PDB file of all heavy atoms in Angstrom:
ATOM      1  N   ASP D  99      51.546 -56.738-146.083  1.00 98.00           N
ATOM      2  CA  ASP D  99      51.318 -57.572-144.924  1.00 98.00           C
ATOM      3  C   ASP D  99      52.138 -57.164-143.626  1.00 98.00           C
ATOM      4  O   ASP D  99      51.684 -57.195-142.509  1.00 98.00           O
ATOM      5  CB  ASP D  99      51.397 -59.004-145.145  1.00 98.00           C
ATOM      6  CG  ASP D  99      50.326 -59.615-146.075  1.00 98.00           C
ATOM      7  OD1 ASP D  99      49.198 -58.854-146.201  1.00 98.00           O
ATOM      8  OD2 ASP D  99      50.512 -60.641-146.670  1.00 98.00           O
ATOM      9  N   SER D 100      53.383 -56.715-144.054  1.00 97.00           N
ATOM     10  CA  SER D 100      54.282 -56.515-142.970  1.00 97.00           C
ATOM     11  C   SER D 100      54.015 -55.229-142.086  1.00 97.00           C
ATOM     12  O   SER D 100      54.441 -55.083-141.037  1.00 97.00           O
ATOM     13  CB  SER D 100      55.703 -56.293-143.599  1.00 97.00           C
ATOM     14  OG  SER D 100      55.747 -55.289-144.504  1.00 97.00           O
ATOM     15  N   VAL D 101      53.075 -54.381-142.703  1.00 98.00           N
ATOM     16  CA  VAL D 101      52.790 -53.184-141.961  1.00 98.00           C
ATOM     17  C   VAL D 101      51.245 -53.068-141.634  1.00 98.00           C
ATOM     18  O   VAL D 101      50.821 -52.120-140.986  1.00 98.00           O
ATOM     19  CB  VAL D 101      53.266 -51.899-142.671  1.00 98.00           C
ATOM     20  CG1 VAL D 101      54.760 -51.992-143.025  1.00 98.00           C
ATOM     21  CG2 VAL D 101      52.449 -51.664-143.914  1.00 98.00           C
ATOM     22  N   LYS D 102      50.520 -54.019-142.147  1.00 98.00           N
ATOM     23  CA  LYS D 102      49.099 -53.887-141.948  1.00 98.00           C
ATOM     24  C   LYS D 102      48.694 -53.880-140.516  1.00 98.00           C
ATOM     25  O   LYS D 102      49.137 -54.704-139.732  1.00 98.00           O
ATOM     26  CB  LYS D 102      48.405 -55.127-142.697  1.00 98.00           C
ATOM     27  CG  LYS D 102      46.850 -55.024-142.968  1.00 98.00           C
ATOM     28  CD  LYS D 102      46.427 -56.070-143.854  1.00 98.00           C
ATOM     29  CE  LYS D 102      47.078 -56.095-145.154  1.00 98.00           C
ATOM     30  NZ  LYS D 102      46.561 -57.204-146.070  1.00 98.00           N
ATOM     31  N   GLY D 103      47.793 -52.943-140.222  1.00 98.00           N
ATOM     32  CA  GLY D 103      47.263 -52.815-138.855  1.00 98.00           C
ATOM     33  C   GLY D 103      48.173 -51.873-138.015  1.00 98.00           C
ATOM     34  O   GLY D 103      47.797 -51.588-136.818  1.00 98.00           O
ATOM     35  N   ARG D 104      49.377 -51.508-138.513  1.00 98.00           N
ATOM     36  CA  ARG D 104      50.250 -50.575-137.753  1.00 98.00           C
ATOM     37  C   ARG D 104      50.415 -49.281-138.423  1.00 98.00           C
ATOM     38  O   ARG D 104      50.685 -48.259-137.752  1.00 98.00           O
ATOM     39  CB  ARG D 104      51.599 -51.286-137.508  1.00 98.00           C
ATOM     40  CG  ARG D 104      51.593 -52.704-136.847  1.00 98.00           C
ATOM     41  CD  ARG D 104      52.953 -53.156-136.580  1.00 98.00           C
ATOM     42  NE  ARG D 104      53.703 -53.495-137.728  1.00 98.00           N
ATOM     43  CZ  ARG D 104      54.934 -52.910-138.051  1.00 98.00           C
ATOM     44  NH1 ARG D 104      55.414 -51.995-137.217  1.00 98.00           N
ATOM     45  NH2 ARG D 104      55.530 -53.237-139.182  1.00 98.00           N
ATOM     46  N   PHE D 105      50.422 -49.354-139.746  1.00 98.00           N
ATOM     47  CA  PHE D 105      50.692 -48.105-140.558  1.00 98.00           C
ATOM     48  C   PHE D 105      49.367 -47.633-141.199  1.00 98.00           C
ATOM     49  O   PHE D 105      48.423 -48.425-141.499  1.00 98.00           O
ATOM     50  CB  PHE D 105      51.670 -48.325-141.654  1.00 98.00           C
ATOM     51  CG  PHE D 105      53.096 -48.571-141.238  1.00 98.00           C
ATOM     52  CD1 PHE D 105      53.439 -48.733-139.916  1.00 98.00           C
ATOM     53  CD2 PHE D 105      54.157 -48.506-142.234  1.00 98.00           C
ATOM     54  CE1 PHE D 105      54.752 -48.971-139.532  1.00 98.00           C
ATOM     55  CE2 PHE D 105      55.466 -48.829-141.837  1.00 98.00           C
ATOM     56  CZ  PHE D 105      55.694 -48.929-140.478  1.00 98.00           C
ATOM     57  N   THR D 106      49.263 -46.236-141.292  1.00 98.00           N
ATOM     58  CA  THR D 106      48.015 -45.722-141.981  1.00 98.00           C
ATOM     59  C   THR D 106      48.487 -44.615-142.929  1.00 98.00           C
ATOM     60  O   THR D 106      49.165 -43.666-142.535  1.00 98.00           O
ATOM     61  CB  THR D 106      47.116 -45.050-140.942  1.00 98.00           C
ATOM     62  OG1 THR D 106      46.692 -46.129-140.037  1.00 98.00           O
ATOM     63  CG2 THR D 106      45.830 -44.562-141.639  1.00 98.00           C
ATOM     64  N   ILE D 107      48.080 -44.794-144.191  1.00 98.00           N
ATOM     65  CA  ILE D 107      48.449 -43.756-145.215  1.00 98.00           C
ATOM     66  C   ILE D 107      47.201 -42.903-145.369  1.00 98.00           C
ATOM     67  O   ILE D 107      46.051 -43.355-145.262  1.00 98.00           O
ATOM     68  CB  ILE D 107      48.749 -44.422-146.540  1.00 98.00           C
ATOM     69  CG1 ILE D 107      49.289 -43.382-147.543  1.00 98.00           C
ATOM     70  CG2 ILE D 107      47.661 -45.257-147.094  1.00 98.00           C
ATOM     71  CD1 ILE D 107      49.879 -43.969-148.806  1.00 98.00           C
ATOM     72  N   SER D 108      47.417 -41.570-145.545  1.00 98.00           N
ATOM     73  CA  SER D 108      46.446 -40.591-145.734  1.00 98.00           C
ATOM     74  C   SER D 108      46.822 -39.484-146.635  1.00 98.00           C
ATOM     75  O   SER D 108      48.037 -39.405-146.956  1.00 98.00           O
ATOM     76  CB  SER D 108      45.904 -40.099-144.388  1.00 98.00           C
ATOM     77  OG  SER D 108      46.861 -39.395-143.698  1.00 98.00           O
ATOM     78  N   ARG D 109      45.956 -38.607-146.969  1.00 97.00           N
ATOM     79  CA  ARG D 109      46.263 -37.598-147.944  1.00 97.00           C
ATOM     80  C   ARG D 109      45.500 -36.294-147.544  1.00 97.00           C
ATOM     81  O   ARG D 109      44.356 -36.453-147.172  1.00 97.00           O
ATOM     82  CB  ARG D 109      45.837 -38.081-149.324  1.00 97.00           C
ATOM     83  CG  ARG D 109      46.033 -37.199-150.508  1.00 97.00           C
ATOM     84  CD  ARG D 109      45.589 -37.866-151.789  1.00 97.00           C
ATOM     85  NE  ARG D 109      44.137 -38.071-151.800  1.00 97.00           N
ATOM     86  CZ  ARG D 109      43.474 -38.912-152.518  1.00 97.00           C
ATOM     87  NH1 ARG D 109      44.106 -39.866-153.136  1.00 97.00           N
ATOM     88  NH2 ARG D 109      42.150 -38.948-152.566  1.00 97.00           N
ATOM     89  N   ASP D 110      46.151 -35.198-147.789  1.00 97.00           N
ATOM     90  CA  ASP D 110      45.477 -33.896-147.506  1.00 97.00           C
ATOM     91  C   ASP D 110      45.530 -33.216-148.908  1.00 97.00           C
ATOM     92  O   ASP D 110      46.612 -32.669-149.306  1.00 97.00           O
ATOM     93  CB  ASP D 110      46.138 -33.129-146.446  1.00 97.00           C
ATOM     94  CG  ASP D 110      45.486 -31.747-146.229  1.00 97.00           C
ATOM     95  OD1 ASP D 110      44.848 -31.166-147.115  1.00 97.00           O
ATOM     96  OD2 ASP D 110      45.531 -31.210-144.981  1.00 97.00           O
ATOM     97  N   ASN D 111      44.407 -33.096-149.607  1.00 96.00           N
ATOM     98  CA  ASN D 111      44.472 -32.568-150.943  1.00 96.00           C
ATOM     99  C   ASN D 111      44.813 -31.108-150.954  1.00 96.00           C
ATOM    100  O   ASN D 111      45.460 -30.586-151.824  1.00 96.00           O
ATOM    101  CB  ASN D 111      43.124 -32.880-151.684  1.00 96.00           C
ATOM    102  CG  ASN D 111      42.840 -34.261-151.841  1.00 96.00           C
ATOM    103  OD1 ASN D 111      43.799 -35.191-151.934  1.00 96.00           O
ATOM    104  ND2 ASN D 111      41.563 -34.640-151.997  1.00 96.00           N
ATOM    105  N   ALA D 112      44.235 -30.379-149.921  1.00 97.00           N
ATOM    106  CA  ALA D 112      44.493 -28.911-149.858  1.00 97.00           C
ATOM    107  C   ALA D 112      45.953 -28.623-149.706  1.00 97.00           C
ATOM    108  O   ALA D 112      46.470 -27.609-150.180  1.00 97.00           O
ATOM    109  CB  ALA D 112      43.676 -28.326-148.734  1.00 97.00           C
ATOM    110  N   LYS D 113      46.645 -29.461-148.997  1.00 98.00           N
ATOM    111  CA  LYS D 113      48.138 -29.221-148.756  1.00 98.00           C
ATOM    112  C   LYS D 113      48.943 -29.993-149.778  1.00 98.00           C
ATOM    113  O   LYS D 113      50.209 -29.921-149.747  1.00 98.00           O
ATOM    114  CB  LYS D 113      48.526 -29.701-147.327  1.00 98.00           C
ATOM    115  CG  LYS D 113      47.895 -28.788-146.226  1.00 98.00           C
ATOM    116  CD  LYS D 113      48.357 -29.258-144.890  1.00 98.00           C
ATOM    117  CE  LYS D 113      47.798 -28.347-143.744  1.00 98.00           C
ATOM    118  NZ  LYS D 113      48.176 -28.737-142.430  1.00 98.00           N
ATOM    119  N   ASN D 114      48.293 -30.755-150.684  1.00 98.00           N
ATOM    120  CA  ASN D 114      48.997 -31.526-151.664  1.00 98.00           C
ATOM    121  C   ASN D 114      50.102 -32.468-150.926  1.00 98.00           C
ATOM    122  O   ASN D 114      51.305 -32.508-151.436  1.00 98.00           O
ATOM    123  CB  ASN D 114      49.658 -30.719-152.718  1.00 98.00           C
ATOM    124  CG  ASN D 114      49.666 -31.392-154.039  1.00 98.00           C
ATOM    125  OD1 ASN D 114      48.853 -32.328-154.329  1.00 98.00           O
ATOM    126  ND2 ASN D 114      50.666 -31.045-154.825  1.00 98.00           N
ATOM    127  N   THR D 115      49.717 -33.080-149.889  1.00 98.00           N
ATOM    128  CA  THR D 115      50.626 -33.873-149.098  1.00 98.00           C
ATOM    129  C   THR D 115      50.080 -35.158-148.797  1.00 98.00           C
ATOM    130  O   THR D 115      48.944 -35.330-148.463  1.00 98.00           O
ATOM    131  CB  THR D 115      50.962 -33.088-147.705  1.00 98.00           C
ATOM    132  OG1 THR D 115      51.576 -31.832-148.126  1.00 98.00           O
ATOM    133  CG2 THR D 115      51.888 -33.859-146.865  1.00 98.00           C
ATOM    134  N   VAL D 116      50.945 -36.158-148.712  1.00 98.00           N
ATOM    135  CA  VAL D 116      50.666 -37.497-148.388  1.00 98.00           C
ATOM    136  C   VAL D 116      51.369 -37.837-146.971  1.00 98.00           C
ATOM    137  O   VAL D 116      52.448 -37.490-146.829  1.00 98.00           O
ATOM    138  CB  VAL D 116      50.975 -38.545-149.424  1.00 98.00           C
ATOM    139  CG1 VAL D 116      50.637 -40.005-148.998  1.00 98.00           C
ATOM    140  CG2 VAL D 116      50.392 -38.143-150.768  1.00 98.00           C
ATOM    141  N   TYR D 117      50.660 -38.566-146.111  1.00 98.00           N
ATOM    142  CA  TYR D 117      51.212 -38.839-144.775  1.00 98.00           C
ATOM    143  C   TYR D 117      51.298 -40.384-144.604  1.00 98.00           C
ATOM    144  O   TYR D 117      50.593 -41.187-145.245  1.00 98.00           O
ATOM    145  CB  TYR D 117      50.320 -38.317-143.729  1.00 98.00           C
ATOM    146  CG  TYR D 117      50.085 -36.769-143.806  1.00 98.00           C
ATOM    147  CD1 TYR D 117      48.969 -36.267-144.427  1.00 98.00           C
ATOM    148  CD2 TYR D 117      51.063 -35.939-143.310  1.00 98.00           C
ATOM    149  CE1 TYR D 117      48.848 -34.886-144.515  1.00 98.00           C
ATOM    150  CE2 TYR D 117      50.850 -34.522-143.391  1.00 98.00           C
ATOM    151  CZ  TYR D 117      49.716 -34.111-144.008  1.00 98.00           C
ATOM    152  OH  TYR D 117      49.580 -32.736-144.099  1.00 98.00           O
ATOM    153  N   LEU D 118      52.128 -40.760-143.717  1.00 98.00           N
ATOM    154  CA  LEU D 118      52.228 -42.168-143.244  1.00 98.00           C
ATOM    155  C   LEU D 118      52.314 -42.137-141.704  1.00 98.00           C
ATOM    156  O   LEU D 118      53.407 -41.815-141.184  1.00 98.00           O
ATOM    157  CB  LEU D 118      53.363 -42.933-143.918  1.00 98.00           C
ATOM    158  CG  LEU D 118      53.422 -44.382-143.537  1.00 98.00           C
ATOM    159  CD1 LEU D 118      52.275 -45.117-144.236  1.00 98.00           C
ATOM    160  CD2 LEU D 118      54.744 -45.072-144.023  1.00 98.00           C
ATOM    161  N   GLN D 119      51.302 -42.563-141.050  1.00 98.00           N
ATOM    162  CA  GLN D 119      51.329 -42.690-139.619  1.00 98.00           C
ATOM    163  C   GLN D 119      51.778 -44.061-139.292  1.00 98.00           C
ATOM    164  O   GLN D 119      51.206 -45.105-139.767  1.00 98.00           O
ATOM    165  CB  GLN D 119      49.918 -42.471-139.048  1.00 98.00           C
ATOM    166  CG  GLN D 119      49.829 -42.662-137.616  1.00 98.00           C
ATOM    167  CD  GLN D 119      50.591 -41.626-136.727  1.00 98.00           C
ATOM    168  OE1 GLN D 119      50.515 -40.412-137.059  1.00 98.00           O
ATOM    169  NE2 GLN D 119      51.347 -42.078-135.733  1.00 98.00           N
ATOM    170  N   MET D 120      52.901 -44.182-138.602  1.00 98.00           N
ATOM    171  CA  MET D 120      53.430 -45.471-138.204  1.00 98.00           C
ATOM    172  C   MET D 120      53.388 -45.751-136.790  1.00 98.00           C
ATOM    173  O   MET D 120      54.001 -44.870-135.989  1.00 98.00           O
ATOM    174  CB  MET D 120      54.914 -45.493-138.663  1.00 98.00           C
ATOM    175  CG  MET D 120      55.062 -45.172-140.164  1.00 98.00           C
ATOM    176  SD  MET D 120      56.737 -45.460-140.781  1.00 98.00           S
ATOM    177  CE  MET D 120      57.653 -44.222-139.829  1.00 98.00           C
ATOM    178  N   ASN D 121      52.755 -46.721-136.289  1.00 98.00           N
ATOM    179  CA  ASN D 121      52.598 -47.053-134.917  1.00 98.00           C
ATOM    180  C   ASN D 121      53.198 -48.320-134.644  1.00 98.00           C
ATOM    181  O   ASN D 121      53.448 -49.196-135.500  1.00 98.00           O
ATOM    182  CB  ASN D 121      51.045 -47.073-134.520  1.00 98.00           C
ATOM    183  CG  ASN D 121      50.431 -45.706-134.673  1.00 98.00           C
ATOM    184  OD1 ASN D 121      51.098 -44.659-134.504  1.00 98.00           O
ATOM    185  ND2 ASN D 121      49.128 -45.718-134.939  1.00 98.00           N
ATOM    186  N   SER D 122      53.376 -48.641-133.347  1.00 98.00           N
ATOM    187  CA  SER D 122      53.921 -50.046-132.920  1.00 98.00           C
ATOM    188  C   SER D 122      55.175 -50.329-133.788  1.00 98.00           C
ATOM    189  O   SER D 122      55.299 -51.504-134.328  1.00 98.00           O
ATOM    190  CB  SER D 122      52.903 -51.121-133.165  1.00 98.00           C
ATOM    191  OG  SER D 122      51.727 -50.768-132.352  1.00 98.00           O
ATOM    192  N   LEU D 123      56.107 -49.432-133.934  1.00 98.00           N
ATOM    193  CA  LEU D 123      57.260 -49.688-134.806  1.00 98.00           C
ATOM    194  C   LEU D 123      58.135 -50.744-134.257  1.00 98.00           C
ATOM    195  O   LEU D 123      58.287 -50.959-133.053  1.00 98.00           O
ATOM    196  CB  LEU D 123      58.006 -48.387-134.904  1.00 98.00           C
ATOM    197  CG  LEU D 123      57.405 -47.398-135.904  1.00 98.00           C
ATOM    198  CD1 LEU D 123      57.879 -45.938-135.629  1.00 98.00           C
ATOM    199  CD2 LEU D 123      57.647 -47.810-137.333  1.00 98.00           C
ATOM    200  N   LYS D 124      58.761 -51.486-135.152  1.00 98.00           N
ATOM    201  CA  LYS D 124      59.631 -52.599-134.935  1.00 98.00           C
ATOM    202  C   LYS D 124      60.995 -52.339-135.498  1.00 98.00           C
ATOM    203  O   LYS D 124      61.090 -51.551-136.411  1.00 98.00           O
ATOM    204  CB  LYS D 124      59.029 -53.858-135.563  1.00 98.00           C
ATOM    205  CG  LYS D 124      57.629 -54.172-135.116  1.00 98.00           C
ATOM    206  CD  LYS D 124      57.228 -55.427-135.934  1.00 98.00           C
ATOM    207  CE  LYS D 124      55.781 -55.795-135.503  1.00 98.00           C
ATOM    208  NZ  LYS D 124      55.208 -57.064-136.258  1.00 98.00           N
ATOM    209  N   PRO D 125      62.052 -53.008-134.971  1.00 97.00           N
ATOM    210  CA  PRO D 125      63.424 -52.714-135.513  1.00 97.00           C
ATOM    211  C   PRO D 125      63.432 -53.071-137.019  1.00 97.00           C
ATOM    212  O   PRO D 125      64.176 -52.358-137.738  1.00 97.00           O
ATOM    213  CB  PRO D 125      64.336 -53.675-134.758  1.00 97.00           C
ATOM    214  CG  PRO D 125      63.529 -53.848-133.422  1.00 97.00           C
ATOM    215  CD  PRO D 125      62.053 -53.717-133.713  1.00 97.00           C
ATOM    216  N   GLU D 126      62.671 -53.982-137.516  1.00 97.00           N
ATOM    217  CA  GLU D 126      62.669 -54.334-138.870  1.00 97.00           C
ATOM    218  C   GLU D 126      61.955 -53.294-139.778  1.00 97.00           C
ATOM    219  O   GLU D 126      62.031 -53.313-140.999  1.00 97.00           O
ATOM    220  CB  GLU D 126      61.898 -55.670-139.133  1.00 97.00           C
ATOM    221  CG  GLU D 126      60.608 -55.835-138.503  1.00 97.00           C
ATOM    222  CD  GLU D 126      60.665 -56.548-137.190  1.00 97.00           C
ATOM    223  OE1 GLU D 126      61.603 -56.292-136.380  1.00 97.00           O
ATOM    224  OE2 GLU D 126      59.847 -57.474-137.018  1.00 97.00           O
ATOM    225  N   ASP D 127      61.397 -52.264-139.182  1.00 98.00           N
ATOM    226  CA  ASP D 127      60.849 -51.118-139.936  1.00 98.00           C
ATOM    227  C   ASP D 127      61.971 -50.083-140.286  1.00 98.00           C
ATOM    228  O   ASP D 127      61.723 -49.086-140.986  1.00 98.00           O
ATOM    229  CB  ASP D 127      59.743 -50.429-139.199  1.00 98.00           C
ATOM    230  CG  ASP D 127      58.509 -51.280-138.952  1.00 98.00           C
ATOM    231  OD1 ASP D 127      58.139 -52.034-139.951  1.00 98.00           O
ATOM    232  OD2 ASP D 127      57.928 -51.227-137.876  1.00 98.00           O
ATOM    233  N   THR D 128      63.126 -50.335-139.755  1.00 98.00           N
ATOM    234  CA  THR D 128      64.297 -49.445-139.994  1.00 98.00           C
ATOM    235  C   THR D 128      64.606 -49.378-141.475  1.00 98.00           C
ATOM    236  O   THR D 128      64.796 -50.360-142.075  1.00 98.00           O
ATOM    237  CB  THR D 128      65.539 -49.860-139.283  1.00 98.00           C
ATOM    238  OG1 THR D 128      65.221 -49.608-137.856  1.00 98.00           O
ATOM    239  CG2 THR D 128      66.738 -48.972-139.591  1.00 98.00           C
ATOM    240  N   ALA D 129      64.528 -48.160-142.050  1.00 98.00           N
ATOM    241  CA  ALA D 129      64.782 -48.016-143.562  1.00 98.00           C
ATOM    242  C   ALA D 129      64.720 -46.517-143.910  1.00 98.00           C
ATOM    243  O   ALA D 129      64.331 -45.693-143.030  1.00 98.00           O
ATOM    244  CB  ALA D 129      63.688 -48.781-144.273  1.00 98.00           C
ATOM    245  N   VAL D 130      65.064 -46.232-145.100  1.00 98.00           N
ATOM    246  CA  VAL D 130      64.811 -44.892-145.654  1.00 98.00           C
ATOM    247  C   VAL D 130      63.406 -45.008-146.335  1.00 98.00           C
ATOM    248  O   VAL D 130      63.119 -45.900-147.181  1.00 98.00           O
ATOM    249  CB  VAL D 130      65.879 -44.447-146.657  1.00 98.00           C
ATOM    250  CG1 VAL D 130      65.561 -43.076-147.278  1.00 98.00           C
ATOM    251  CG2 VAL D 130      67.172 -44.465-145.960  1.00 98.00           C
ATOM    252  N   TYR D 131      62.598 -44.036-146.053  1.00 98.00           N
ATOM    253  CA  TYR D 131      61.208 -44.032-146.451  1.00 98.00           C
ATOM    254  C   TYR D 131      61.042 -42.997-147.598  1.00 98.00           C
ATOM    255  O   TYR D 131      61.514 -41.839-147.448  1.00 98.00           O
ATOM    256  CB  TYR D 131      60.199 -43.871-145.423  1.00 98.00           C
ATOM    257  CG  TYR D 131      60.011 -45.104-144.604  1.00 98.00           C
ATOM    258  CD1 TYR D 131      61.015 -45.506-143.674  1.00 98.00           C
ATOM    259  CD2 TYR D 131      58.782 -45.783-144.616  1.00 98.00           C
ATOM    260  CE1 TYR D 131      60.767 -46.633-142.878  1.00 98.00           C
ATOM    261  CE2 TYR D 131      58.645 -46.978-143.826  1.00 98.00           C
ATOM    262  CZ  TYR D 131      59.644 -47.310-143.058  1.00 98.00           C
ATOM    263  OH  TYR D 131      59.463 -48.480-142.192  1.00 98.00           O
ATOM    264  N   TYR D 132      60.351 -43.381-148.637  1.00 98.00           N
ATOM    265  CA  TYR D 132      60.143 -42.491-149.831  1.00 98.00           C
ATOM    266  C   TYR D 132      58.715 -42.533-150.244  1.00 98.00           C
ATOM    267  O   TYR D 132      57.995 -43.559-150.025  1.00 98.00           O
ATOM    268  CB  TYR D 132      60.935 -42.971-151.061  1.00 98.00           C
ATOM    269  CG  TYR D 132      62.425 -43.161-150.910  1.00 98.00           C
ATOM    270  CD1 TYR D 132      62.939 -44.319-150.363  1.00 98.00           C
ATOM    271  CD2 TYR D 132      63.338 -42.193-151.262  1.00 98.00           C
ATOM    272  CE1 TYR D 132      64.279 -44.510-150.212  1.00 98.00           C
ATOM    273  CE2 TYR D 132      64.692 -42.346-151.187  1.00 98.00           C
ATOM    274  CZ  TYR D 132      65.170 -43.526-150.597  1.00 98.00           C
ATOM    275  OH  TYR D 132      66.570 -43.683-150.495  1.00 98.00           O
ATOM    276  N   CYS D 133      58.247 -41.457-150.753  1.00 97.00           N
ATOM    277  CA  CYS D 133      56.902 -41.492-151.401  1.00 97.00           C
ATOM    278  C   CYS D 133      57.029 -41.310-152.841  1.00 97.00           C
ATOM    279  O   CYS D 133      58.068 -40.735-153.385  1.00 97.00           O
ATOM    280  CB  CYS D 133      55.951 -40.456-150.819  1.00 97.00           C
ATOM    281  SG  CYS D 133      56.325 -38.784-151.250  1.00 97.00           S
ATOM    282  N   ASN D 134      56.087 -41.816-153.662  1.00 96.00           N
ATOM    283  CA  ASN D 134      56.111 -41.627-155.191  1.00 96.00           C
ATOM    284  C   ASN D 134      54.767 -42.117-155.612  1.00 96.00           C
ATOM    285  O   ASN D 134      53.976 -42.728-154.908  1.00 96.00           O
ATOM    286  CB  ASN D 134      57.233 -42.368-155.772  1.00 96.00           C
ATOM    287  CG  ASN D 134      57.782 -41.809-157.079  1.00 96.00           C
ATOM    288  OD1 ASN D 134      57.022 -41.178-157.813  1.00 96.00           O
ATOM    289  ND2 ASN D 134      59.029 -41.858-157.213  1.00 96.00           N
ATOM    290  N   ARG D 135      54.599 -41.860-156.882  1.00 96.00           N
ATOM    291  CA  ARG D 135      53.453 -42.403-157.585  1.00 96.00           C
ATOM    292  C   ARG D 135      53.609 -43.898-157.708  1.00 96.00           C
ATOM    293  O   ARG D 135      54.722 -44.390-157.806  1.00 96.00           O
ATOM    294  CB  ARG D 135      53.224 -41.750-158.961  1.00 96.00           C
ATOM    295  CG  ARG D 135      53.006 -40.224-158.824  1.00 96.00           C
ATOM    296  CD  ARG D 135      52.572 -39.618-160.242  1.00 96.00           C
ATOM    297  NE  ARG D 135      53.646 -39.645-161.147  1.00 96.00           N
ATOM    298  CZ  ARG D 135      53.977 -38.595-161.937  1.00 96.00           C
ATOM    299  NH1 ARG D 135      53.277 -37.430-161.747  1.00 96.00           N
ATOM    300  NH2 ARG D 135      54.890 -38.641-162.806  1.00 96.00           N
ATOM    301  N   VAL D 136      52.591 -44.668-157.628  1.00 95.00           N
ATOM    302  CA  VAL D 136      52.655 -46.049-157.755  1.00 95.00           C
ATOM    303  C   VAL D 136      53.012 -46.504-159.225  1.00 95.00           C
ATOM    304  O   VAL D 136      53.725 -47.466-159.395  1.00 95.00           O
ATOM    305  CB  VAL D 136      51.439 -46.772-157.269  1.00 95.00           C
ATOM    306  CG1 VAL D 136      51.461 -48.276-157.557  1.00 95.00           C
ATOM    307  CG2 VAL D 136      51.122 -46.456-155.829  1.00 95.00           C
ATOM    308  N   SER D 137      52.461 -45.805-160.168  1.00 90.00           N
ATOM    309  CA  SER D 137      52.821 -46.016-161.576  1.00 90.00           C
ATOM    310  C   SER D 137      53.332 -44.741-162.061  1.00 90.00           C
ATOM    311  O   SER D 137      53.078 -43.606-161.548  1.00 90.00           O
ATOM    312  CB  SER D 137      51.776 -46.616-162.432  1.00 90.00           C
ATOM    313  OG  SER D 137      50.583 -45.735-162.389  1.00 90.00           O
ATOM    314  N   SER D 138      54.002 -44.765-163.281  1.00 85.00           N
ATOM    315  CA  SER D 138      54.528 -43.570-163.929  1.00 85.00           C
ATOM    316  C   SER D 138      55.292 -42.744-162.854  1.00 85.00           C
ATOM    317  O   SER D 138      55.098 -41.541-162.633  1.00 85.00           O
ATOM    318  CB  SER D 138      53.417 -42.665-164.415  1.00 85.00           C
ATOM    319  OG  SER D 138      52.719 -43.300-165.446  1.00 85.00           O
ATOM    320  N   ARG D 139      56.245 -43.387-162.095  1.00 88.00           N
ATOM    321  CA  ARG D 139      56.903 -42.816-161.032  1.00 88.00           C
ATOM    322  C   ARG D 139      57.697 -41.556-161.440  1.00 88.00           C
ATOM    323  O   ARG D 139      58.320 -41.540-162.473  1.00 88.00           O
ATOM    324  CB  ARG D 139      57.777 -43.820-160.332  1.00 88.00           C
ATOM    325  CG  ARG D 139      57.024 -44.748-159.439  1.00 88.00           C
ATOM    326  CD  ARG D 139      57.849 -45.536-158.481  1.00 88.00           C
ATOM    327  NE  ARG D 139      58.660 -46.501-159.191  1.00 88.00           N
ATOM    328  CZ  ARG D 139      58.275 -47.789-159.365  1.00 88.00           C
ATOM    329  NH1 ARG D 139      57.115 -48.180-158.865  1.00 88.00           N
ATOM    330  NH2 ARG D 139      59.087 -48.591-159.955  1.00 88.00           N
ATOM    331  N   ALA D 140      57.753 -40.604-160.544  1.00 88.00           N
ATOM    332  CA  ALA D 140      58.539 -39.420-160.687  1.00 88.00           C
ATOM    333  C   ALA D 140      59.980 -39.671-160.214  1.00 88.00           C
ATOM    334  O   ALA D 140      60.238 -40.759-159.687  1.00 88.00           O
ATOM    335  CB  ALA D 140      57.922 -38.251-160.015  1.00 88.00           C
ATOM    336  N   ASP D 141      60.856 -38.688-160.326  1.00 92.00           N
ATOM    337  CA  ASP D 141      62.203 -38.829-159.787  1.00 92.00           C
ATOM    338  C   ASP D 141      62.054 -38.986-158.218  1.00 92.00           C
ATOM    339  O   ASP D 141      61.201 -38.326-157.627  1.00 92.00           O
ATOM    340  CB  ASP D 141      63.062 -37.620-160.046  1.00 92.00           C
ATOM    341  CG  ASP D 141      63.360 -37.468-161.528  1.00 92.00           C
ATOM    342  OD1 ASP D 141      63.302 -38.481-162.217  1.00 92.00           O
ATOM    343  OD2 ASP D 141      63.767 -36.413-161.958  1.00 92.00           O
TER     344      ASP D 141
END
């Protein structure tokens, strides 16, 4: 809920890459951002 309407996740299968477009950023979005599998997480 905290990012709904501002962030967009997408994926490019050919590049094997996941993206996060972040708009209308707020100070409370300050953090270290990581990607990972939702289950069976990798390192």
Side-chain angles (χ1 to χ4, degrees):
D99 287 344
S100 58
V101 306
K102 197 172 294 182
R104 301 187 297 121
F105 290 11
T106 303
I107 187 171
S108 62
R109 178 178 75 204
D110 185 328
N111 294 338
K113 295 183 178 180
N114 209 29
T115 299
V116 181
Y117 302 98
L118 186 67
Q119 177 67 44
M120 305 187 296
N121 299 328
S122 303
L123 283 161
K124 304 176 181 180
E126 51 263 43
D127 295 319
T128 295
V130 180
Y131 284 71
Y132 305 84
C133 71
N134 210 326
R135 300 191 290 227
V136 174
S137 60
S138 302
R139 284 194 288 269
D141 290 341

